[in-house]
Every structure is written in C-alpha cells, then in structure tokens.
C-alpha cells in the first residue's frame, strides 16, 4: 500500500512524541551510583546466563514436586523455542511463515505411538454427567431482592418485567416496551428508553415486599390507579408487594438459541468435560486508551446500549472509521454501516476487529453449548496507546491491567444479577484448579484471569538496563496474584527486562521494530541464527537485510503483514520520527536477547505463586532458555505449569511443553486449518499425562477469526445440531440478524459452538475422535494446573510413582478431603463420580488398582483393591 502524505502538524507532534519517549526512557534508567546486580545490561546478562555453571539443585520439600522430579526425563530433549492477525498464518501450527514451512521432526513411529496412546485414553470410562438448572426455581413471590431478575411480577396493577441492571437494581419494563420512570415532582411515568430515572434499587421490606428507590432518593409509592390502569407515584419509600404474573414482554436482548439444561458433574471433584479456550481478550474495550474497540461486553441497559458503534465510526455515516477501514484493507474513508443493534448488517464479522465480539450473551451461548474454561487476558501496548489519538484511559500497562481486572469482577456481578444474586451466575472467576473443578461440575464457566502485556509488571528495558529491581518485580507480581492473575506471558510485542521478543515479519516488522526503539531505546538485536538451530527455529525475518539485496525489485516487500492492528495504527498515526532499523545480516534471524537473569527470577517467582507460564511471543533464545530452566527446576523437584495458548511458538517447543506436563491450545483460525493442527499435535503427546485439546480464539485481541467454508461446502453444519451434553443448538439470533457459521464464519464468540461442530464435520471419519479430545480439553488444562500446585501426576501412567498397597492405604486416611488426598498420593488416574482410581504395587504385582471411595462432600470413606 502506498504511503499517504502526512500533515506537517502530525509529523511535528510525532517528532516530539518520539523525543519525549526516548528522553523519558533515558531519564528512567539514568544511573545513580553503582548499579545493583539486577541492573546489569540485558545483553551482558544473557551472556552470563549462558556461560555460568548450573547451580546446585535446591532441596525438595513438596511431595508432589518430589514425585514429578522422580519421573522427569526432560533434560535430554533437544528442543528450541520460536502474527498476530494475518489470515495467511492463522491456520498454521505456528503463526510464523518461516516455521510453518519446515517439516515436523517427529518420526512416523513416534507419531503413530503417540496417536495410539491418545486413542487408548478415549476408551476409558466416561464421567457421569447430569443436567443442572439454569437458575433457581422462580417462586410465587420473590425470596430476596435479587430473585425477581428476569421475572414477570404484578406492580401497580400491571405485569412488569424486572430487568436487572446490577445486583438488586432493575429496569421496570412494561408490556408496551416502555420503562417505569420518575417524572415531575412526584409523578411516575413511562419512558421510551432507560435512564437513571428508571433504574430502581430494590430493598427487602418483608416477605414478598420491597421498596424501590432511585439514586436521587425518590421511591415508588402506591397511588390510585390512573386512566391507564397503573397505580404508583414517587415520594418517600413505601413497601410494595410483588407476585408472579403472566403477560409480560421479553426485554430485548441477544438470544442464546440453545435449549436444554447445561451439564455438570454428579460430584464436585469428579473428572470434568467441556471445551477450553485459554486465550480470549474479554475486556479490550479498555485497551489502547479505551477508544479502539467500540463497545463493552455488557451494559446495565442491555444490548441496545452496549452494542453500538464508536463515535468516530458514526461520523459521515460510517466514513469516520479510519482504523476499521485500514484493518479491513480498505481505503480510509470507505466506511461501513455503523448500526449495530438491532440490524448488525456489517458487524460483527470475522475480520471486523474494532467491534465487540465477546458480548456476554454471545459468551453465554458458548458456555451453554459446552465451553467450560475461558481465560480472559488483561492486555495493553503502551506505544500504540500513546500513538492512537483517541483515548480515555491511562497507557501504563499496570493501570490497564488493574482496570480490566476490575471490569471482569463487574461483569461477574452483572451476570450474577441476571441469575438471581451473588454467586448464582454462570460466569465464575477462579484462582486455583480445585475451585475451577467445582465450578465446572456445577455446570458453570470457570473464568481464568490471565495477562499478556508488552511491559509486564512495569519492568521495561531502556538502553539495555531494566527499569525495575527484583524487589519491585516481586511486589508487582504479588499484586497481580492478589488481583486473580493465574496465567501469564512474559512479553507481547517488545523486548523487556525479562526476555527478547520474536518480532514481526514483513512491513509490519519494520513498524514494530521502530516501536521497540521507542519502548526500549534500541532496535531488535537480530542476527543470523546459529547453524546448529534446526530449520524453522528462528524469529521473524527483519527488513532490510542483506538477503533482500537484489531480490526485491523497487524495495517491494513480499512478506505478508503479520499484525493488522499494529500496521493500521502506525499507518494512520505513526511515523513518530524514528528512522528504519539497521541493515540486518541475511536470515534466518534470531533475537540475541533471550531470558535475562531477572526473567529467570520471574519464572521462579511464578512457580512459587503457582501462576501458569505461557511462552508465546518470546524470542527463540528466550523461550529455549525458559523451557531449559523449567526442565531443570522440574528435575530439581519444583512444580511447574506451562500453557501455550495461541500458536505463538514454533513446533519444536510443543513436544517440550507436553513433556513438562503442559497444555497446548493452538490458535483456532479456520475449522479446516484447526483440524490439521489437531492431527499434528496428536503426534506430540506424552504418555505420562492425560491428553485433551483446546483452541485459542484470540478474540478481541485483533486476531482474525474463522472464515466460513461456504453454504456449498462439503458436509456443512445443519441446524439445529446437538451440542456437548445433549443440548440443542439453533441458529444464533442477535436482534434482527440470524447467523449461520456456514456463511458467516466465526463472526462473534457465540459461534464457537457452531465452529466446533463444523470442525467435527471437516474431520470426517476422525470427527468423533476430535469431539472427544475437545471435550476432554477442560480436564487436561485442570490437570496441568493441579501439577503447578504441587500435585504429582497419576501413578497409573507413571509406574515410578506407585506406592505399596500398604503405604497407599496408610496415606489415604479416612476423613481427609480430596485436595489433601491428592497432595499425599497424587492425581487419580480416573475420577468417576465418588470413586477415585489409583495404581499401587504389591509383591509380585507391579500394577494393583486401588479405588478410593469418597463421600458426597469429598471426604475419603474407604480404600479397597480393585
């Protein structure tokens, strides 16, 4: 795309911005006295880290960690570590054109053996599932001030729908589509739209009796019925009786179009079933200053208030949406239909990335159809935020993370309000695997809080020197843990104090490289990769480089852009006075910055805090060193947890992650490409661990979503279809728009239920196997997380962990709870209802099945052989 002329004013502002950022960075790292050991240059730190001898192993005190160390065989693995929205890479095993071009190094024999082991796992007993109610049974009179949410009750002589705006607050929606609101001095009237004058807070005033008060203090009172038949006015609070009624109108809202009760477990501690998406951005309406993604995931006044277009999009009938146009590869000013609710004629769609795609009702549809683990990542990019001219929020990564975490809690409260009160909603933020298992077995969605920022914990690097100390890093990490963060990446776009970054290729690579200069004071330190690196074990190829000379006529760049949001913002508002990066040597390129000593200390602290580590986005050197370190720590007896969430690693890293007992969820992309990725991953599984599969949607993270295969494609999805747990899934309706995955693709998050169905069709004869592995994904993720909490792997798949029958029976003391039992004897091989199965040994018998019978509340009742 040809460069567009830039106004003189913007260039001057850009130059001042660049100067300010770099000067600020220099001042932030200006030495005051002798630098501490933590403030050595990152480059020297990397050299030192690679040359120093390994320290002695720490003593092993945790029984689970000791057991893992006893079976660990990872140190001998020869592995090496390796864009965002590019449709040409979204279906690759790795979202890197370079890595995807190289064949898998696993032998056919290894792959066949791995597939056979996974197939054998699918034949094991399935946990018994049960149907759970969507909400508590609605009584004739509400039992609490929360219970009337979504119900129809008589008020003032009319049937009124009570639409919750929060915990205990309501819009009072009449059958004619109006809202009961305060009028003049003591009037109660009906308004055409909701407002603060129609948002009533309920308080209990006796059995079935409540008061209803506005924020300004006015309350509803009884009054003689008017000509319209309604008998209320405003004034001092007076208790009003409510009784369930008929004849109400449904509040206008996005539909789920899923019928049937959701599934749960028969006990809180049994094996779970359900899909897992460990990479979603549910709160990026606050990202980049809060003016890039147009609408929030919920609004107290519902879809009509939430799902509206950005103010700048609405200019000139949609022609003000410059960023949306560039992201869609259109000339700025082309425009689009800015109307969202109720027509949705343009958005959502798989490539409209500035519009909300994870509205809570769309998420609810995916939950009802089988999603059971959902990792919502808190995110920010301070350079893009500073460049983008429209903003309302701070660009500091830490401020953004705190705000988005607060929003997640608010969303949980809002969904609780819709379902009858605190704790009753289906969206449950969890902070450990034991809580998550219980939530899933209740039939609800376990929501994991994750973090993906370019400068995590405020630890940037400026001219090779960290901007934080180890003490500051540990304090920030403790705060994140207290917020609820349980999964974390070490970088996103730029080098920082912990690690180098993989970078981006093509023309976007030159932009992110310039932004790396603004962020760190240095361009990416790319060099030709060592000849010892296997093919494909490399970072993104930077331009200009010596390999380009004589091969690209007129400077044409033949590498596809890898990050649409970065390229679009930079094209429109960038060019902040930074010259292009240096002339690099010929490729393949590897970032010389790997895992710093401070990064190693962060990994150690994450192990202590039991935070799952995601190696995606790190440089080859950084990821390789991180996996090396985790393997060493596991061999020394420490409990580690690794999750690769969206294909931002090269394929050499995935077998290492599986060998660490980790979990991998490839980027979802198109259903066709995802099936290929699943088949590839089947050949990398580790026999010592439970296998299940997930998908990383990266939705609202500016990742392109799955395109439709077309109405004429072979074996299309037919509606309605049967979802996980036996629910019936129809076509999703949002206002006036009805979606069909065959022709719309994954336009919004609710269509992941349809995408899973489509992937099973694409898999053909392998469809049932894919369905089984996806349904086992939540269990596999939980088991990885349990091991990060110090629980040893199961003794049936790991013979070296088997105790004698006598020792096992002694450890499984009657009366102890499930978590304590696992802390003592490890993960069960199977968890079916109230029975947990283990393996032990006896004289002359290397494998003795042991069954631990549990009570309904999860306490050991008895232990028996067989």
């Amino acid at each position: 795309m040809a460069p567009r002329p830039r106004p003189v004013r913007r260039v001057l502002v850009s130059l001042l911005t660049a100067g300010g950022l770099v000067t600020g960075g220099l001042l932030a790292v200006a030495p005051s006295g002798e630098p501490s050991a933590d403030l050595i240059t990152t480059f020297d730190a990397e050299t030192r880290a690679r040359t120093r001898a390994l320290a002695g192993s720490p003593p092993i005190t945790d029984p689970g960690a000791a057991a893992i160390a006893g079976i660990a065989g990872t140190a001998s693995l020869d592995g090496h570590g390796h864009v965002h929205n590019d449709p040409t890479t979204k279906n690759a095993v790795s979202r890197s054109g370079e890595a995807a071009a190289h064949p898998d190094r696993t032998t056919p024999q290894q792959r066949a053996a791995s597939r056979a082991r996974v197939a054998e796992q699918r034949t094991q007993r399935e946990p018994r599932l049960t149907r759970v109610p969507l909400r508590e049974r609605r009584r004739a009179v509400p039992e609490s001030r929360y219970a009337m949410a979504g119900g129809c009750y008589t008020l003032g002589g009319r049937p009124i729908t009570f639409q919750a705006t929060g915990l205990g607050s309501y819009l009072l929606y009449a059958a004619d589509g109006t809202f009961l609101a305060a009028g003049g001095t003591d009037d109660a009237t009906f308004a055409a739209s909701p407002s603060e004058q129609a948002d009533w807070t309920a308080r209990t005033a006796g059995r079935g009796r409540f008061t209803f008060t506005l924020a300004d203090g006015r309350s509803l009172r009884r009054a003689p019925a008017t000509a319209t038949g309604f008998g209320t006015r405003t004034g001092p609070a007076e208790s009003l009786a409510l009784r369930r009624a008929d004849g109400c109108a449904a509040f206008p809202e996005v539909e789920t179009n899923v019928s049937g009760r959701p599934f749960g477990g028969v006990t809180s501690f049994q094996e779970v079933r359900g899909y897992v998406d460990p990479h979603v951005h549910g709160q990026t309406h606050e990202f980049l200053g809060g003016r890039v993604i147009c609408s929030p995931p919920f609004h107290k006044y519902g879809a009509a208030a939430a799902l509206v277009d950005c103010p700048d999009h609405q200019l000139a009938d949609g022609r003000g949406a410059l960023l949306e146009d560039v992201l869609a590869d259109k000339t700025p000013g082309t425009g689009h239909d800015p109307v969202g609710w109720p027509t949705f004629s343009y958005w959502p769609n798989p490539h409209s990335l500035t519009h909300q795609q994870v509205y809570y009702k769309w998420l609810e549809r995916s939950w009802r159809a089988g999603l059971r683990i959902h990792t919502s990542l808190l995110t920010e990019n301070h350079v893009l935020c500073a460049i983008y001219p429209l903003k309302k929020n701070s660009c500091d990564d830490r401020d953004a993370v705190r705000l988005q975490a607060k929003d997640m809690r608010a969303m949980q409260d809002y969904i609780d309000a819709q379902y009858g009160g605190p704790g009753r909603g289906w969206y449950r933020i969890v902070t450990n695997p034991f809580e998550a298992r219980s939530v899933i077995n209740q039939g609800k969605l376990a929501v994991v809080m994750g973090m993906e920022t370019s400068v995590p914990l405020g630890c940037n690097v400026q001219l090779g020197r960290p901007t934080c100390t180890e003490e500051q890093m540990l304090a920030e990490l403790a705060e994140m843990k207290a917020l609820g963060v349980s999964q974390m990446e070490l970088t996103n776009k730029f080098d920082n104090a912990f690690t180098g970054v993989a970078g981006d290729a093509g023309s976007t690579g030159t932009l992110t490289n310039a932004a790396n200069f603004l962020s760190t004071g240095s361009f990416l330190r790319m060099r030709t990769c060592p000849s010892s690196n296997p093919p494909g074990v490399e970072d993104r190829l930077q331009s200009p480089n010596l390999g380009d000379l004589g091969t690209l006529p007129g400077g044409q760049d033949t590498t596809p852009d890898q990050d649409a949001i970065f390229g679009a913002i930079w094209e429109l508002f960038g060019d902040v006075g930074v010259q292009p990066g240096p002339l690099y040597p010929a490729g393949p390129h590897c970032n010389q910055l790997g895992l710093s000593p401070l990064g190693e200390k962060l990994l150690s602290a994450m192990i202590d805090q039991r935070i799952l580590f995601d190696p995606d986005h790190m440089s080859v050197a950084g990821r390789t060193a991180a996996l090396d370190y985790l393997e060493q720590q596991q061999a020394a007896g420490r409990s580690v947890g690794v999750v690769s969430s969206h294909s931002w690693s090269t394929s050499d890293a995935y077998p290492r992650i599986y060998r660490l007992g980790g979990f991998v969820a490839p980027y979802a992309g198109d259903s066709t490409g995802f099936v290929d990725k699943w088949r590839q991953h089947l050949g990398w599984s580790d026999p010592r661990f439970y296998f299940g599969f997930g998908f990383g949607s990266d939705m609202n993270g500016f990742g392109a979503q799955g395109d439709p295969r077309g109405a004429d494609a072979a074996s299309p999805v037919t509606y309605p279809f049967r979802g996980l747990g036996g629910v019936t899934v129809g076509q999703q309706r949002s206002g006036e728009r009805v979606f069909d995955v065959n022709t719309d693709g994954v336009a919004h998050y609710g269509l992941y239920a349809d995408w899973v169905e489509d992937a099973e069709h694409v898999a053909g004869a392998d469809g049932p196997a894919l369905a089984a592995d996806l349904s086992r994904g939540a269990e596999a993720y939980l088991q990885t997380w349990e091991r990060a909490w110090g629980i040893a792997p199961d003794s049936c798949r790991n013979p070296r962990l088997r105790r004698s029958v006598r020792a096992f029976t002694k450890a499984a003391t009657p009366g102890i709870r499930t978590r304590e039992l696992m802390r003592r004897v490890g993960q069960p091989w199977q968890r079916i209802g109230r029975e947990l199965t283990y393996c032990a040994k006896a004289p002359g018998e290397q494998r003795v099945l042991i069954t631990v019978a549990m009570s309904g509340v999860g306490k050991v009742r008895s232990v028996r052989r067989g």
Side-chain angles (χ1 to χ4, degrees):
M1 187 176 292
R4 296 184 178 85
R6 302 180 182 282
V8 173
R9 180 182 178 187
R10 187 164 66 189
V11 173
L12 290 174
V13 171
S14 297
L15 289 170
L16 290 173
T17 302
L21 286 170
V22 176
T23 302
L26 291 171
L27 292 175
V29 299
S32 55
E34 289 295 316
S36 70
D38 289 320
L39 295 179
I40 59 177
T41 68
T42 306
F43 183 81
D44 290 341
E46 178 63 14
T47 302
R48 188 189 73 177
R50 287 189 173 279
T51 57
R52 71 175 185 258
L54 292 176
S57 299
I60 303 173
T61 57
D62 185 275
I68 293 174
I71 65 166
T74 55
S76 63
L77 182 65
D78 179 21
H80 299 270
H82 212 337
V83 136
H84 218 125
N85 176 53
D86 177 29
T88 66
T89 63
K90 67 180 175 178
N91 297 320
V93 172
S94 168
R95 292 166 76 178
S96 157
E98 299 93 338
H102 296 284
D104 178 18
R105 298 170 63 214
T106 312
T107 68
Q109 293 80 6
Q110 290 171 327
R111 297 186 62 77
S114 179
R115 288 194 182 103
R117 289 191 299 265
V118 173
E120 184 179 4
Q121 284 195 28
R122 298 187 197 114
T123 66
Q124 293 175 350
R125 289 175 61 195
E126 283 289 303
R128 187 161 66 88
L129 303 179
T130 186
R131 299 292 185 91
V132 298
L134 281 168
R135 57 167 296 145
E136 296 288 331
R137 181 178 60 86
R138 195 175 297 280
R139 301 178 185 178
V141 295
E143 66 273 25
S144 74
R145 69 189 190 99
Y146 310 112
M148 62 275 278
C152 179
Y153 299 91
T154 300
L155 180 67
R158 280 194 190 181
I160 296 290
T161 299
F162 282 67
Q163 175 62 28
T165 60
L167 286 167
S169 58
Y170 300 93
L171 298 174
L172 305 181
Y173 186 65
D176 63 357
T178 59
F179 300 86
L180 181 61
T185 54
D186 61 356
D187 291 338
T189 186
F190 283 91
S193 59
S195 69
E196 294 298 324
Q197 301 306 306
D199 194 348
W200 304 91
T201 296
R203 293 182 176 85
T204 304
R207 184 179 182 276
R209 302 187 70 87
F210 304 89
T211 62
F212 297 91
T213 306
L214 297 173
D216 63 11
R218 287 183 289 175
S219 300
L220 282 179
R221 295 179 59 81
R222 288 189 297 271
T226 64
T228 60
F230 198 75
T232 60
R233 58 188 177 89
T234 61
E238 182 179 3
S239 67
L240 302 174
L242 297 183
R243 189 165 189 85
R244 198 173 61 196
D246 296 317
C248 286
F251 183 77
E253 186 54 275
V254 166
E255 301 174 22
T256 64
N257 305 106
V258 177
S259 60
R261 290 183 170 187
F263 64 87
V266 296
T267 66
S268 63
F269 49 86
Q270 73 170 45
E271 187 171 321
V272 302
R273 286 292 176 265
Y275 308 134
V276 53
D277 180 356
H279 199 105
V280 191
H281 294 276
Q283 306 297 328
T284 41
H285 65 294
E286 307 282 18
F287 175 62
L288 299 182
R291 297 294 189 196
V292 172
I293 289 185
C294 292
S295 50
F298 74 95
H299 191 287
K300 65 179 182 178
Y301 297 155
L307 298 176
V308 297
D309 218 335
C310 294
D312 56 306
H313 288 202
Q314 298 178 38
L315 296 175
D317 197 25
R319 291 179 175 83
L322 304 183
L323 182 58
E324 172 69 19
D325 287 342
V326 175
L327 284 168
D329 200 26
K330 298 185 293 187
T331 302
T334 301
H336 64 270
D337 182 351
V339 178
W341 175 273
T343 56
F344 296 111
S345 64
Y346 169 73
W347 60 274
N349 70 66
H351 300 281
S352 177
L353 305 182
T354 65
H355 295 100
Q356 179 62 246
Q357 293 177 289
V358 195
Y359 184 63
Y360 92 97
K361 293 296 288 187
W362 292 329
L363 175 58
E364 180 177 348
R365 172 180 164 89
S366 281
W367 157 65
R368 290 193 60 182
L371 183 73
R372 288 298 179 269
I373 296 179
H374 170 92
T375 299
S376 187
L377 294 157
L378 317 173
T379 191
E380 187 54 276
N381 184 299
H382 63 291
V383 174
L384 281 188
C385 181
I387 292 171
Y388 193 66
L390 306 176
K391 59 180 67 68
K392 62 183 178 66
N393 301 330
S394 166
C395 291
D396 186 287
D397 289 37
R398 292 165 294 178
D399 291 339
V401 164
R402 295 181 188 110
L403 176 60
Q404 292 169 36
K406 181 181 177 181
D407 287 349
M408 285 182 65
R409 299 286 177 185
M411 182 164 166
Q412 178 174 262
D413 288 346
Y414 179 78
I415 294 173
D416 279 355
Q418 308 309 310
Y419 276 82
R424 295 193 176 186
W426 49 266
Y427 181 98
R428 311 309 311 157
I429 298 171
V430 296
T431 56
N432 65 65
F434 317 103
E435 180 185 15
R437 185 177 297 278
S438 177
V439 161
I440 294 170
N441 278 318
Q442 292 171 35
K444 299 183 179 185
L445 179 66
V447 180
V448 180
M449 191 180 292
M451 190 166 78
E452 180 189 33
T453 67
S454 295
V455 185
L457 312 178
C459 290
N460 204 356
V461 61
Q462 282 284 345
L463 300 180
R465 303 183 66 180
T467 61
C468 70
T469 65
E470 180 182 353
E471 292 73 20
Q472 290 168 333
M473 177 268 289
L474 292 174
E476 292 283 348
L477 184 67
E479 181 187 353
M480 294 302 101
K481 179 69 175 179
L483 280 178
V485 171
S486 299
Q487 180 181 313
M488 180 174 161
E489 297 179 29
L490 266 58
T491 188
N492 178 250
K493 277 292 159 196
F494 312 133
D495 295 335
N496 58 39
F498 303 128
T499 182
V501 72
D504 290 273
S507 58
T508 299
T510 62
L511 305 180
T512 55
N513 199 3
N516 193 80
F517 179 87
L518 290 177
S519 179
T520 69
S522 301
F523 290 107
L524 295 175
R525 299 184 184 183
M526 293 291 184
R527 298 291 183 269
T528 303
C529 295
S531 58
S532 58
N533 279 22
V537 181
E538 58 199 70
D539 293 320
R540 307 295 82 79
L541 185 67
Q542 299 298 301
S543 292
N545 64 75
L546 294 176
D548 289 340
L549 299 181
T551 61
L552 299 177
Q556 180 183 1
D557 185 357
T558 61
T559 307
D561 286 353
Q562 301 282 314
D563 192 320
I565 183 63
F566 212 106
I569 287 182
W570 202 279
E571 178 180 342
L572 288 167
F573 311 108
D575 191 8
V576 292
V578 179
Q579 296 301 311
L583 177 64
Y584 288 104
H589 285 167
C590 286
N591 192 339
Q592 297 302 290
L593 296 187
L595 185 71
S596 71
L598 191 61
E600 190 171 285
K601 290 174 182 176
L602 173 58
L603 285 178
S604 181
M606 289 172 65
I607 293 173
D608 292 338
Q609 295 278 16
R610 297 157 177 170
I611 295 175
L612 294 167
F613 162 61
D614 187 340
D616 286 7
H617 289 291
M618 294 176 74
S619 65
V620 164
R623 182 169 51 254
T624 299
L627 294 178
D628 287 346
Y629 177 76
L630 293 181
E631 289 165 354
Q632 294 156 12
Q633 296 305 299
Q634 188 182 76
R638 300 182 73 189
S639 302
V640 304
V642 189
V643 172
S644 175
S645 63
H646 67 323
S647 297
W648 263 86
S649 295
T650 44
S651 58
D652 60 285
Y654 300 133
R656 300 185 75 182
I657 293 170
Y658 283 122
R659 286 173 65 87
L660 282 164
F663 181 81
V664 180
Y667 184 50
D670 297 335
S671 56
T672 50
F674 183 80
V675 171
D676 293 337
K677 284 180 275 194
W678 165 68
R679 289 178 172 137
Q680 188 87 342
H681 278 266
L682 288 178
W684 293 327
S685 69
D686 190 291
R688 298 171 299 166
F689 306 108
Y690 185 102
F691 183 83
F693 209 54
F695 55 87
S697 69
D698 204 6
M699 191 169 273
N700 275 6
F702 300 95
Q705 299 303 305
D707 284 314
R709 290 196 295 127
D712 298 330
S715 187
V717 172
T718 57
Y719 294 93
F721 60 86
R722 185 181 177 88
L724 193 59
V727 297
T728 300
V729 182
Q731 286 185 258
Q732 198 282 317
R733 176 180 288 275
S734 297
E736 299 172 10
R737 176 80 182 273
V738 178
F739 290 91
D740 183 333
V741 74
N742 299 297
T743 53
D744 295 311
V746 186
H748 59 68
Y749 202 81
L751 293 172
Y752 265 105
D754 314 55
W755 176 89
V756 168
E757 177 74 7
D758 192 45
E760 292 173 20
H761 287 221
V762 169
D766 290 334
L770 172 61
D773 290 350
L774 286 173
S775 73
R776 293 159 62 91
E779 178 64 32
Y781 182 98
L782 288 185
Q783 291 200 20
T784 288
W785 201 2
E786 285 176 346
R787 291 189 286 270
W789 276 70
I791 307 300
D794 77 82
S795 51
C796 293
R797 295 185 183 91
N798 297 277
R800 294 173 60 185
L801 296 183
R802 292 175 192 167
R803 304 163 178 254
S804 69
V805 172
R806 181 177 180 182
F808 186 98
T809 303
K810 184 177 180 180
T813 308
I816 63 173
R817 292 188 174 273
T818 310
R819 183 168 170 179
E820 175 61 19
L821 174 68
M822 290 196 295
R823 193 190 70 80
R824 295 185 183 186
V825 298
Q827 295 176 315
W829 177 48
Q830 291 190 298
R831 317 178 196 209
I832 307 298
R834 297 187 182 186
E835 292 187 344
L836 309 181
T837 305
Y838 292 86
C839 287
K841 59 185 178 182
E845 297 180 88
Q846 290 302 307
R847 186 177 189 272
V848 178
L849 283 180
I850 299 289
T851 298
V852 181
M854 310 293 290
S855 70
V857 295
K859 292 184 178 181
V860 174
R861 296 183 61 184
S862 63
V863 179
R864 70 174 189 272
R865 292 181 58 149

